[in-house]
Amino acid sequence: MTDENRQTTLRHRVWLILDPPDGIGRGWAMLVNLGLIVLIVLNVIAVLLESVASLHQQYRAAFNLFEVVSVFVFTVEYLLRIWIAPEAHPQMPQGQARRNWARSPMAIIDLIAILPSYLAMFVPFDLRLLRVLRVLRIFKLTRYSSAMTLLRDVFREEAGSFFAGFFILFILLILVSTGAYLVEHKAQPDAFGSIPHAMWWAMVTLTTVGYGDVTPITPLGRVFGGLVTVLGIGVAALPAGILASGLNDHLHRRRDNLRNQFRRALEDGRIDLHEAAHIEKARKEMGISYEIASGIREEVLQRERDRRDCTCPNCGAQFTRD
Amino acid sequence: MTDENRQTTLRHRVWLILDPPDGIGRGWAMLVNLGLIVLIVLNVIAVLLESVASLHQQYRAAFNLFEVVSVFVFTVEYLLRIWIAPEAHPQMPQGQARRNWARSPMAIIDLIAILPSYLAMFVPFDLRLLRVLRVLRIFKLTRYSSAMTLLRDVFREEAGSFFAGFFILFILLILVSTGAYLVEHKAQPDAFGSIPHAMWWAMVTLTTVGYGDVTPITPLGRVFGGLVTVLGIGVAALPAGILASGLNDHLHRRRDNLRNQFRRALEDGRIDLHEAAHIEKARKEMGISYEIASGIREEVLQRERDRRDCTCPNCGAQFTRD
Amino acid sequence: MTDENRQTTLRHRVWLILDPPDGIGRGWAMLVNLGLIVLIVLNVIAVLLESVASLHQQYRAAFNLFEVVSVFVFTVEYLLRIWIAPEAHPQMPQGQARRNWARSPMAIIDLIAILPSYLAMFVPFDLRLLRVLRVLRIFKLTRYSSAMTLLRDVFREEAGSFFAGFFILFILLILVSTGAYLVEHKAQPDAFGSIPHAMWWAMVTLTTVGYGDVTPITPLGRVFGGLVTVLGIGVAALPAGILASGLNDHLHRRRDNLRNQFRRALEDGRIDLHEAAHIEKARKEMGISYEIASGIREEVLQRERDRRDCTCPNCGAQFTRD
Amino acid sequence: MTDENRQTTLRHRVWLILDPPDGIGRGWAMLVNLGLIVLIVLNVIAVLLESVASLHQQYRAAFNLFEVVSVFVFTVEYLLRIWIAPEAHPQMPQGQARRNWARSPMAIIDLIAILPSYLAMFVPFDLRLLRVLRVLRIFKLTRYSSAMTLLRDVFREEAGSFFAGFFILFILLILVSTGAYLVEHKAQPDAFGSIPHAMWWAMVTLTTVGYGDVTPITPLGRVFGGLVTVLGIGVAALPAGILASGLNDHLHRRRDNLRNQFRRALEDGRIDLHEAAHIEKARKEMGISYEIASGIREEVLQRERDRRDCTCPNCGAQFTRD
């Protein structure tokens, strides 16, 4: 075994530990990944507690020690991930695979999570403000959460509709704050003294949050405000409606996908072991319950049976169509 | 009739009274179950009124008497339910059936509802605080409500999506409160003095509740706050969208289920009395209206008719179209 | 023509004016119905303005005159509607038809709208409080609104789910106000001094209204409050989800209904003029657009053509199946 | 080439620049359209900043210059658009085509955006108030946004349901503010002194905005208020439910449309190049993703294959199954 081979073998093993095919993995992989999850959670808790002045003063040393250890571990993790990046794309040149990985959103978050600590060594900056950025490490947790795939996919598919919703909100914000400025700026020169000032009230009302720190007080302002609250439930309905429709659509397409896989597997008349394993894997990836998948299989089988069993109307021969 | 037989017969009769197959039952069963429902409602009202200091002082004796009677009735009910537990699982050993029942969520609530009163006899504890736990008895009411099955099933099926929604809310809470701390902690050291403090505002805004007891006051804080209100309508859209999609899907699957039952019954060409009764039972269990079920049956029949045998009017050949 | 005939004819004409088959009708019917709509709107405006003390004092005479005229018109309308009630049910005994009508929700609202004015003549009661009830006359407007049929039907069909939603809200209200009482009643004996007092905050939070007049102030109370705001977006999601799913389902069933009518009409091979008129009427009643109805018709025709045009595989004869 | 021809040719070129068939266009068209978009955005920003008194004072000259330039550009654009209007309707008389265009909503917004500036020359009016109307120019941006077509179409299709929702909100507003007036006007004569006054609280609560500047304080008022908050989540559910159902329906109809186009193209057994181009254009116009369109095509092909001719392996008879 050559040196290079040994290195490749080691790299492959590290890859299987850091990036197991089924999320958290088993054995050493599970240990390492659970350890990283715990470290991320502890880091986030540390950032939260450190922001409490009294705790920060009292346990400054402990916080610093924990920070040094964390940065060390996350740096090692980052370097290892750069090293193993080619494993995921065996046919790609190593340099390109690593550059690709380093540009992925997850890698950038990994970098942002460790960079401030190194920067703080050189830049004479308020260390605490910078350290707060470490809270972004929480995004690393989504790496392990397969439950969020569905929602992320739906958000991506409906991005156009969500964008149109934002645009509508933006136009309404401009028009509503202009209107509020016109009707209220004389009565309340502080809160509605200019259109940019009036935007605070407009935004809080259009999203139905309604703090009540700023409210119209003139009769005309209240009539206008009442109409804006109606626009508010309309605006708040946009993401709910888009999401409901998108989830529903996504769900159906995932099932249609599974149905097509059953159909294609059945084209030769039966589902062999290899095909069954393939479909089972797809079912799990798409998060379709076993019960629903059975229903789809039964439906496809029934339709296939109807299509295949055939009686010749001429001679009465029974045969199976291909 | 042996002693054991008599006991079994009595136990079976008690079972039919306390746990009638159709929710509340008839005759004695209805009387007992309605009585228990009334007692639970009165108990909840008693806990609410007892928390009013003046009422508690004035009617202390009456509250105590009512408490003693209630605990007695609920204790008898609990013991009876342990006793009759094997009736629901005739083939299971009696001990195991009872242990199974005692570990069910409903049995644990039953126990929590009576335990504080017994504990209060031995532990010198603020009795009133403990008694408040009796309000959990209200959960026993869901035992009798069949209307909540659909919603509970949908919540269970969509549990993964709801969990992902909570995770998104959690990540946003961390990031938003960190951001609010950064932009506002100098202007408002009380409300935004640390990240955990800023979480109160972040949570109230992300859920669009918007109390307004704490709001950003700096210009930068208000721009940040305005963006967070938009995240708020997104967060509030998650459960609405998931629920809408889940309810819709559940509804369709229940109907597909009924459609399949009609199809299977029609495989021999007609729906006989036994099959009709079976489908009618399924229809009731799934809460599908008679009108909708008729529509499904007509559609299945129509499709079956389309497939029927055909005779050529020219040569008399018989063939089947499908 | 006998006296009775003449009366019947007059009654029929009054019926066509007061209750035209297509909502508001034409000619005299439109004039009368638009007049009644205007009078109702003016009555509601009068109640609103009369509640302003200064206006009430100044224009007392005008308000009284308008009230007398309104009550007179509505009384005549009510009596006429009792009189013409049998026209809608020609085969029912006249007395029964009138009793049926008098018990309908719309007739009861008509009665409530005029009764207070007559009662005020005899009972020495605060006339203004009683007069406010006339605002219920606004419900009479729904008589003319066909746009609300769809929403009303969906609310009725989903009544079970909405009821389960209310039950969940009720249980959460009890549990949340009990919890808020436990964690906050020492810090804020005014707002959280008893469970019934804490219900105000619980309700305002669970519905995401969030006035902010009462908020938790202890750290534990704010953690509890934060969890309750999450329950709040869950509660607010219930009606949105139920309504979205119900509307979607209702829409599909209306279209299935139209599809079935097309199919039944096509059973004899063609849609004759009488059938087309019947389907067109159903389409309008169900509020399905012409464009969508055309799509459904084309789909049914296509399927029918596929089913009927038949080539005998034996002799090659082309024939049409029945 | 005659003079008229030359003019028509120039007009056609201007038309292709100002109104390119694919939104923003390429080359000169893109330059002009992007320039107009930038100018509109700068105009909106100018209106916002001008409303800030200090900025207005300091940069009065710059604002005025920018205003003069903008009005000039928008006036030229308006006149050009009138001139080129006949290009879009070649077979219509020129005068009629121009009148039609001038009455379109977009043209009226164009006019409102420039008119105040000209009016200000003649009418001695507060110029700043009038200038605010220029913010309406933001609507011109929607001319370039194709992402909003879907939402606009759904709003139009569901207009009836949205209107019914507004009507329900209106009736609830009248009834709730009347109820609030009855239970609270003695305790809070300022906020609930008349029904019109109580409407502010009613509106803010029914839309779940919940400012909290006005809240019921009597026990009866709070019980009533608690019930109104429940109505509030019902009202807020209306637009979300209607939108979710409408989006879902619109999506399915677009796909059914594409499916029908595939089917019609396949009636002759294959999809030729011309048909493929036609379907591809329809797919783009309806905003259906390539992936989804492929799924639909595969499904239609599969169904067509099932129907294909069949040869009996025994006697060689040819027959068709459908």
Side-chain angles (χ1 to χ4, degrees):
Chain A
M1 197 189 257
T2 65
D3 233 45
E4 197 182 303
N5 264 3
R6 203 172 298 135
Q7 197 203 330
T8 313
T9 315
L10 178 65
R11 203 175 71 183
H12 192 76
R13 252 192 270 149
V14 173
W15 180 56
L16 287 177
I17 284 174
L18 272 180
D19 225 356
D22 52 337
I24 286 182
R26 289 149 184 263
W28 276 101
M30 195 170 82
L31 211 72
V32 168
N33 280 299
L34 282 183
L36 284 171
I37 289 175
V38 168
L39 194 64
I40 292 166
V41 171
L42 287 177
N43 259 272
V44 170
I45 293 173
V47 173
L48 301 194
L49 295 182
E50 218 176 340
S51 75
V52 183
S54 60
L55 287 174
H56 182 237
Q57 297 249 315
Q58 209 173 345
Y59 301 104
R60 189 188 294 254
F63 279 124
N64 280 349
L65 179 66
F66 179 66
E67 169 64 6
V68 168
V69 173
S70 299
V71 168
F72 176 75
V73 174
F74 288 137
T75 306
V76 170
E77 187 205 351
Y78 186 79
L79 295 175
L80 283 177
R81 282 189 193 277
I82 285 191
W83 181 51
I84 63 172
E87 291 289 331
H89 306 280
Q91 72 283 32
M92 206 183 273
Q94 297 207 356
Q96 197 189 333
R98 284 183 179 133
R99 271 195 304 277
N100 272 6
W101 179 81
R103 283 175 198 147
S104 71
M106 219 35 108
I108 291 169
I109 286 168
D110 281 13
L111 195 63
I112 291 177
I114 51 174
L115 222 59
S117 306
Y118 288 106
L119 248 109
M121 295 179 190
F122 307 104
V123 191
F125 194 68
D126 180 0
L127 206 79
R128 284 182 64 206
L129 262 182
L130 219 59
R131 274 195 174 169
V132 157
L133 280 175
R134 289 174 296 146
V135 91
L136 290 173
R137 282 172 193 158
I138 201 172
F139 269 122
K140 297 178 65 161
L141 278 186
T142 60
R143 193 202 303 275
Y144 304 106
S145 159
S146 67
M148 274 175 52
T149 323
L150 175 71
L151 285 177
R152 197 197 54 202
D153 288 358
V154 171
F155 275 116
R156 202 172 289 166
E157 281 162 19
E158 304 292 326
S161 296
F162 280 113
F163 181 82
F166 281 126
F167 193 58
I168 291 174
L169 174 60
F170 180 71
I171 290 183
L172 285 177
L173 176 65
I174 300 282
L175 296 178
V176 164
S177 51
T178 303
Y181 162 74
L182 287 181
V183 295
E184 284 283 323
H185 81 280
K186 274 180 192 156
Q188 302 191 70
D190 273 352
F192 294 95
S194 72
I195 299 177
H197 272 92
M199 277 184 175
W200 174 244
W201 171 79
M203 202 66 183
V204 165
T205 303
L206 281 174
T207 55
T208 77
V209 169
Y211 289 128
D213 54 344
V214 179
T215 52
I217 52 170
T218 64
L220 189 61
R222 293 201 160 176
V223 169
F224 181 76
L227 295 176
V228 175
T229 59
V230 179
L231 289 179
I233 55 173
V235 165
L238 282 172
I242 295 168
L243 194 67
S245 166
L247 274 171
N248 199 23
D249 185 44
H250 196 82
L251 213 71
H252 279 104
R253 274 193 296 125
R254 287 193 163 188
R255 296 208 187 134
D256 285 352
N257 187 325
L258 197 69
R259 186 173 292 117
N260 283 336
Q261 297 208 14
F262 272 122
R263 257 191 222 141
R264 240 172 280 140
L266 262 175
E267 260 169 17
D268 57 355
R270 54 187 290 278
I271 301 177
D272 60 36
L273 277 178
H274 182 73
E275 288 168 340
H278 187 79
I279 290 173
E280 178 65 13
K281 199 182 146 221
R283 180 188 75 74
K284 273 187 185 158
E285 270 175 24
M286 295 192 289
I288 298 174
S289 81
Y290 188 77
E291 180 205 353
I292 292 170
S294 300
I296 293 174
R297 200 191 53 197
E298 195 174 329
E299 182 202 319
V300 172
L301 279 169
Q302 177 73 39
R303 205 174 271 261
E304 199 59 19
R305 230 177 287 130
D306 286 359
R307 196 180 74 78
R308 293 179 155 275
D309 295 343
C310 207
T311 308
C312 174
N314 190 32
C315 63
Q318 309 251 338
F319 64 101
T320 309
R321 258 175 97 186
D322 55 290
Chain B
M1 198 190 255
T2 65
D3 234 41
E4 197 181 303
N5 264 6
R6 204 171 298 136
Q7 196 204 329
T8 312
T9 314
L10 178 64
R11 204 175 70 184
H12 192 77
R13 253 192 269 150
V14 172
W15 179 57
L16 286 178
I17 285 173
L18 272 180
D19 225 356
D22 52 338
I24 286 183
R26 291 151 181 263
W28 276 101
M30 196 171 80
L31 210 73
V32 168
N33 280 300
L34 282 183
L36 284 171
I37 289 174
V38 169
L39 195 63
I40 291 167
V41 171
L42 287 177
N43 260 272
V44 170
I45 292 173
V47 172
L48 299 193
L49 295 182
E50 217 175 343
S51 75
V52 183
S54 59
L55 287 173
H56 182 236
Q57 296 248 316
Q58 208 173 344
Y59 301 103
R60 190 188 293 256
F63 279 124
N64 280 350
L65 179 65
F66 179 66
E67 168 67 7
V68 168
V69 173
S70 299
V71 168
F72 176 74
V73 174
F74 288 135
T75 307
V76 169
E77 188 205 350
Y78 187 78
L79 295 175
L80 282 177
R81 282 190 192 275
I82 285 191
W83 181 52
I84 63 171
E87 291 289 330
H89 307 279
Q91 72 282 34
M92 207 185 271
Q94 297 208 354
Q96 196 190 332
R98 285 182 178 131
R99 270 196 305 278
N100 272 7
W101 179 82
R103 283 175 197 146
S104 70
M106 220 35 109
I108 290 169
I109 286 169
D110 281 12
L111 196 62
I112 291 176
I114 52 174
L115 221 60
S117 305
Y118 288 106
L119 248 110
M121 295 180 190
F122 307 106
V123 190
F125 194 68
D126 180 359
L127 206 78
R128 285 182 63 205
L129 262 183
L130 219 60
R131 274 191 175 168
V132 157
L133 280 175
R134 285 176 296 148
V135 91
L136 289 173
R137 280 173 193 155
I138 201 172
F139 269 120
K140 297 180 65 164
L141 279 187
T142 62
R143 193 205 303 275
Y144 304 105
S145 158
S146 68
M148 276 177 51
T149 323
L150 175 71
L151 285 177
R152 197 196 55 202
D153 287 358
V154 171
F155 274 117
R156 203 173 288 166
E157 280 162 19
E158 303 292 326
S161 295
F162 280 114
F163 181 82
F166 281 126
F167 193 56
I168 290 174
L169 174 60
F170 180 71
I171 290 183
L172 286 177
L173 176 65
I174 301 282
L175 296 178
V176 165
S177 51
T178 303
Y181 162 74
L182 286 181
V183 294
E184 284 283 323
H185 81 281
K186 274 180 190 155
Q188 303 191 68
D190 273 353
F192 294 94
S194 72
I195 300 178
H197 272 91
M199 278 183 174
W200 174 243
W201 172 80
M203 201 67 183
V204 165
T205 303
L206 281 174
T207 55
T208 76
V209 168
Y211 289 128
D213 55 344
V214 179
T215 52
I217 52 170
T218 64
L220 189 60
R222 291 201 159 176
V223 169
F224 180 77
L227 295 176
V228 175
T229 58
V230 179
L231 289 179
I233 55 173
V235 165
L238 282 173
I242 295 168
L243 194 66
S245 165
L247 274 171
N248 199 23
D249 184 46
H250 196 82
L251 214 71
H252 279 104
R253 275 194 293 123
R254 287 192 165 188
R255 296 210 186 132
D256 284 351
N257 187 326
L258 197 69
R259 185 173 292 118
N260 283 337
Q261 297 206 16
F262 271 121
R263 257 189 220 142
R264 238 172 282 138
L266 262 175
E267 260 168 16
D268 57 355
R270 56 185 291 277
I271 301 178
D272 61 36
L273 277 179
H274 181 71
E275 288 168 338
H278 187 78
I279 291 173
E280 178 65 12
K281 201 181 146 222
R283 180 188 74 75
K284 274 186 185 157
E285 270 175 23
M286 295 192 289
I288 298 174
S289 81
Y290 188 77
E291 180 206 353
I292 292 170
S294 300
I296 294 174
R297 200 191 53 198
E298 194 175 331
E299 182 202 320
V300 172
L301 279 169
Q302 175 76 36
R303 208 170 271 264
E304 205 58 31
R305 228 176 289 132
D306 287 357
R307 292 185 62 231
R308 73 190 155 188
D309 297 331
C310 199
T311 308
C312 173
N314 189 33
C315 64
Q318 308 252 336
F319 60 103
T320 311
R321 281 177 58 138
D322 352 42
Chain C
M1 197 190 257
T2 64
D3 234 43
E4 198 179 304
N5 265 5
R6 204 172 298 137
Q7 195 202 333
T8 313
T9 314
L10 178 64
R11 202 175 70 183
H12 192 76
R13 253 192 270 150
V14 172
W15 179 56
L16 286 178
I17 284 174
L18 271 180
D19 224 355
D22 52 339
I24 285 182
R26 290 150 182 263
W28 276 103
M30 196 171 79
L31 209 74
V32 168
N33 279 300
L34 281 184
L36 284 171
I37 289 175
V38 170
L39 194 63
I40 293 167
V41 171
L42 288 177
N43 259 271
V44 170
I45 293 172
V47 172
L48 300 193
L49 295 182
E50 216 175 346
S51 74
V52 183
S54 59
L55 287 173
H56 182 235
Q57 295 249 317
Q58 208 173 342
Y59 302 102
R60 190 189 294 256
F63 279 125
N64 280 350
L65 179 65
F66 179 66
E67 168 66 6
V68 168
V69 173
S70 299
V71 168
F72 176 74
V73 174
F74 288 135
T75 306
V76 170
E77 187 204 352
Y78 186 79
L79 294 176
L80 282 176
R81 282 190 192 277
I82 285 191
W83 181 51
I84 63 171
E87 290 290 330
H89 306 280
Q91 71 283 34
M92 207 185 271
Q94 298 207 354
Q96 197 189 330
R98 285 183 177 131
R99 270 196 304 278
N100 272 7
W101 179 81
R103 282 175 199 146
S104 71
M106 219 36 107
I108 291 169
I109 285 169
D110 281 12
L111 196 61
I112 291 177
I114 51 174
L115 221 58
S117 305
Y118 288 105
L119 248 110
M121 295 179 188
F122 307 106
V123 190
F125 195 66
D126 180 0
L127 206 78
R128 284 183 62 206
L129 262 182
L130 218 59
R131 275 192 173 171
V132 156
L133 280 175
R134 287 174 297 147
V135 91
L136 290 173
R137 282 172 192 159
I138 201 173
F139 269 122
K140 295 178 67 162
L141 278 186
T142 61
R143 191 205 304 274
Y144 303 105
S145 158
S146 67
M148 276 176 51
T149 323
L150 175 71
L151 286 177
R152 198 196 55 202
D153 288 358
V154 171
F155 274 117
R156 202 174 286 167
E157 280 161 19
E158 303 291 327
S161 295
F162 280 113
F163 181 82
F166 281 126
F167 193 59
I168 291 175
L169 174 60
F170 180 71
I171 290 184
L172 285 177
L173 176 65
I174 300 281
L175 296 177
V176 165
S177 52
T178 303
Y181 163 74
L182 286 180
V183 295
E184 283 284 322
H185 81 281
K186 274 180 189 155
Q188 302 191 70
D190 272 352
F192 294 94
S194 72
I195 299 177
H197 272 91
M199 277 182 175
W200 174 244
W201 171 80
M203 202 65 182
V204 165
T205 304
L206 281 174
T207 54
T208 77
V209 168
Y211 290 128
D213 54 344
V214 179
T215 52
I217 52 171
T218 65
L220 190 60
R222 292 200 159 178
V223 170
F224 180 77
L227 295 175
V228 175
T229 59
V230 179
L231 289 179
I233 54 172
V235 165
L238 282 173
I242 295 169
L243 194 66
S245 165
L247 274 171
N248 198 24
D249 185 45
H250 196 81
L251 214 70
H252 279 105
R253 274 193 295 123
R254 287 193 163 187
R255 297 208 186 135
D256 285 351
N257 188 326
L258 197 68
R259 185 173 291 117
N260 282 337
Q261 296 206 16
F262 272 121
R263 257 190 221 141
R264 238 172 282 138
L266 263 174
E267 259 169 17
D268 57 355
R270 55 186 291 278
I271 301 177
D272 60 36
L273 277 178
H274 181 72
E275 286 167 340
H278 187 78
I279 291 174
E280 179 64 12
K281 199 180 145 222
R283 181 188 75 75
K284 273 187 187 158
E285 271 175 22
M286 296 191 289
I288 298 174
S289 81
Y290 188 76
E291 180 206 354
I292 293 170
S294 299
I296 293 174
R297 200 191 53 196
E298 195 175 330
E299 182 202 320
V300 171
L301 280 169
Q302 177 73 38
R303 205 173 271 262
E304 199 60 18
R305 230 177 286 132
D306 286 358
R307 197 180 73 79
R308 291 176 158 277
D309 293 344
C310 207
T311 309
C312 175
N314 191 33
C315 64
Q318 307 252 340
F319 64 102
T320 308
R321 260 176 93 187
D322 56 287
Chain D
M1 196 190 256
T2 64
D3 233 45
E4 198 180 303
N5 264 5
R6 202 173 297 135
Q7 196 203 333
T8 313
T9 313
L10 177 66
R11 203 175 71 183
H12 192 76
R13 254 192 268 148
V14 173
W15 180 55
L16 286 178
I17 284 174
L18 272 180
D19 224 356
D22 52 337
I24 286 183
R26 291 149 182 265
W28 276 101
M30 197 171 79
L31 210 74
V32 168
N33 280 299
L34 282 184
L36 284 171
I37 290 175
V38 169
L39 194 64
I40 292 167
V41 171
L42 287 177
N43 260 272
V44 170
I45 293 173
V47 173
L48 300 193
L49 295 182
E50 216 175 344
S51 75
V52 183
S54 59
L55 287 173
H56 182 236
Q57 296 249 317
Q58 208 173 343
Y59 302 103
R60 190 189 293 254
F63 279 125
N64 280 350
L65 179 65
F66 179 67
E67 168 66 7
V68 168
V69 172
S70 300
V71 167
F72 176 73
V73 174
F74 287 135
T75 306
V76 169
E77 187 205 351
Y78 186 78
L79 295 175
L80 283 176
R81 281 189 192 277
I82 284 191
W83 181 51
I84 63 171
E87 291 289 330
H89 305 281
Q91 71 282 33
M92 207 183 272
Q94 297 208 356
Q96 196 188 333
R98 285 183 178 132
R99 270 197 305 279
N100 272 7
W101 179 81
R103 282 176 199 145
S104 71
M106 220 35 109
I108 291 168
I109 287 169
D110 280 12
L111 195 62
I112 291 177
I114 50 173
L115 220 59
S117 305
Y118 289 106
L119 249 109
M121 295 180 190
F122 307 106
V123 190
F125 195 68
D126 180 0
L127 205 80
R128 285 183 62 206
L129 261 183
L130 218 59
R131 276 193 174 166
V132 156
L133 279 175
R134 288 175 295 147
V135 92
L136 289 173
R137 282 173 190 157
I138 201 170
F139 268 121
K140 296 179 65 164
L141 279 186
T142 61
R143 191 203 304 272
Y144 305 104
S145 158
S146 68
M148 275 176 51
T149 323
L150 175 70
L151 286 177
R152 197 196 55 202
D153 287 358
V154 171
F155 274 116
R156 203 173 287 165
E157 279 162 19
E158 303 292 325
S161 295
F162 280 114
F163 181 81
F166 281 126
F167 193 58
I168 290 174
L169 174 60
F170 180 70
I171 291 183
L172 285 177
L173 176 66
I174 300 282
L175 296 177
V176 164
S177 51
T178 303
Y181 163 74
L182 287 180
V183 295
E184 283 283 322
H185 82 281
K186 274 181 189 153
Q188 303 191 69
D190 271 353
F192 294 94
S194 72
I195 299 178
H197 272 91
M199 276 183 176
W200 174 245
W201 171 81
M203 202 64 182
V204 165
T205 304
L206 281 175
T207 55
T208 77
V209 168
Y211 291 128
D213 54 344
V214 179
T215 53
I217 52 171
T218 65
L220 190 60
R222 292 201 159 177
V223 169
F224 180 76
L227 295 176
V228 175
T229 59
V230 179
L231 288 179
I233 54 172
V235 166
L238 282 173
I242 294 168
L243 194 66
S245 166
L247 273 172
N248 199 23
D249 185 44
H250 196 82
L251 214 70
H252 278 105
R253 273 191 297 124
R254 288 192 164 187
R255 297 214 184 128
D256 284 352
N257 188 325
L258 197 68
R259 185 173 293 116
N260 283 337
Q261 298 207 15
F262 272 121
R263 256 190 223 140
R264 239 172 282 138
L266 261 174
E267 258 168 18
D268 57 355
R270 54 185 291 277
I271 301 178
D272 59 38
L273 277 178
H274 181 72
E275 287 167 341
H278 187 78
I279 291 174
E280 178 64 12
K281 200 182 145 221
R283 180 189 75 75
K284 273 187 187 158
E285 270 175 23
M286 295 191 290
I288 298 175
S289 81
Y290 188 77
E291 181 206 353
I292 292 170
S294 300
I296 293 174
R297 200 192 52 196
E298 196 175 329
E299 182 202 320
V300 172
L301 280 168
Q302 176 74 37
R303 209 172 269 264
E304 204 58 29
R305 228 177 288 132
D306 287 358
R307 291 185 63 229
R308 72 190 156 188
D309 297 332
C310 199
T311 309
C312 174
N314 190 34
C315 65
Q318 307 252 337
F319 60 104
T320 311
R321 281 177 59 139
D322 353 42

